[in-house]
Amino acid sequence: MAESINVEELQRNAQLRREIEEQITKRFADEDDVLRQTLAAQHQAGLPEIQISPIQGRLLQVLVAACNARKILEIGALGGYSGTWLARALPAGGKLTTLEISAKHAEQVRAAFARAGLSDRTEVRVGSASELLPTLQSEAPFDLIFIDADKGGYPTYLDWAIKLSRPGSIIVADNNIRYGKPFQEPPPDLDNAGVAAYNQRAASDPRLRSILIPMDDDGMDGFAISVVLP
Ligand code: DHB
Ligand code: MG
């Protein structure tokens, strides 16, 4: 018989993990009132509460610094929470362009950027990413591209992210673990199939060096991070 599971130890470890995450958040990734207001406004407007965690926001800022980003592209803005983390990390003269399919969400995002004092360095474009991405070629290359939109579109967005990048650009995609569903064979639905195809490409495309990192939802979800190689 297999050794019995020690439930108390599992619970202790889960609790400890949450406390460690709180400490990391407090010490490295503390939200300020502006970010809290963005979350409150998002809640008030009935938007889904599926934004990145503060630790993920801070990781995006670290990556912005790592690739010396001046031009950032975000695909999927939601309520402007991740966009605020991103735009705050830009140097003077830098710009975040964020694509959002929902006009209602886009209004929230513009209000969030205005509240954060970021209107001068941000632009929200409304429409489907598949239609907007080809129009961005004259503004490329982008130094960092953050993908956090409809999961079925992820393979297309990765294609465009590579097209709109330069050697040394960093491409990040959110929700590429999804409780392991993209690893099932076959994946259970089109969203998970999209993420599975993205992960497969990120892992094997010779133009990229990539890793998938367990982060939020107790490590059940996380970022795929790729650097575009010379
Ligand atoms: C979903 C989308 C997200 O971008 C996310 O971070 C979590 C959940 C969703 O569509 O369910
Ligand atoms: Mg997401």
Side-chain angles (χ1 to χ4, degrees):
M1 200 179 97
E3 224 175 290
S4 68
I5 291 168
N6 186 333
V7 175
E8 273 178 29
E9 189 185 342
L10 288 178
Q11 286 174 339
R12 260 200 318 277
N13 284 349
Q15 176 62 24
L16 181 56
R17 194 168 55 210
R18 277 190 290 273
E19 285 168 12
I20 289 169
E21 224 176 271
E22 274 173 33
Q23 286 296 329
I24 295 171
T25 302
K26 197 170 90 182
R27 288 155 195 265
F28 287 86
D30 223 4
E31 279 174 346
D32 64 355
D33 283 340
V34 170
L35 283 164
R36 276 190 284 272
Q37 281 166 25
T38 295
L39 292 182
Q42 180 175 306
H43 178 78
Q44 193 73 26
L47 270 57
E49 291 176 44
I50 52 172
Q51 71 284 337
I52 58 169
S53 69
I55 292 176
Q56 289 176 307
R58 187 61 173 170
L59 176 58
L60 289 175
Q61 294 190 329
V62 170
L63 296 173
V64 168
C67 66
N68 203 7
R70 300 179 59 82
K71 284 193 277 180
I72 301 175
L73 173 62
E74 181 181 56
I75 304 174
L78 187 61
Y81 183 82
S82 51
T84 298
W85 282 97
L86 284 166
R88 279 178 163 180
L90 282 167
K95 185 178 170 190
L96 165 74
T97 302
T98 187
L99 314 184
E100 175 51 50
I101 195 164
S102 154
K104 175 187 162 184
H105 294 191
E107 275 319 302
Q108 288 287 315
V109 178
R110 290 194 183 103
F113 290 160
R115 252 195 329 268
L118 294 167
S119 299
D120 61 332
R121 66 182 71 178
T122 54
E123 186 183 347
V124 186
R125 297 199 190 167
V126 182
S128 89
S130 304
E131 283 169 23
L132 291 174
L133 285 164
T135 71
L136 290 170
Q137 288 176 91
S138 62
E139 292 158 66
F142 292 90
D143 307 301
L144 187 141
I145 297 134
F146 178 49
I147 302 168
D148 192 9
D150 59 297
K151 310 310 167 198
Y154 270 33
T156 307
Y157 305 153
L158 179 57
D159 279 336
W160 276 107
I162 294 170
K163 268 193 206 125
L164 298 172
S165 70
R166 57 159 171 88
S169 287
I170 296 178
I171 303 171
V172 182
D174 188 32
N175 310 112
N176 281 39
I177 298 178
R178 299 170 65 86
Y179 288 75
K181 286 186 224 130
F183 303 133
Q184 290 176 26
E185 295 197 14
D189 54 43
L190 290 176
D191 283 353
N192 287 294
V195 172
Y198 185 110
N199 288 341
Q200 210 280 330
R201 291 257 318 278
S204 62
D205 191 309
R207 293 169 294 181
L208 303 175
R209 181 144 304 144
S210 306
I211 185 62
L212 188 50
I213 306 183
M215 297 192 74
D216 54 328
D217 286 357
D218 284 333
M220 295 295 180
D221 211 345
F223 282 172
I225 303 178
S226 304
V227 178
V228 179
L229 296 173

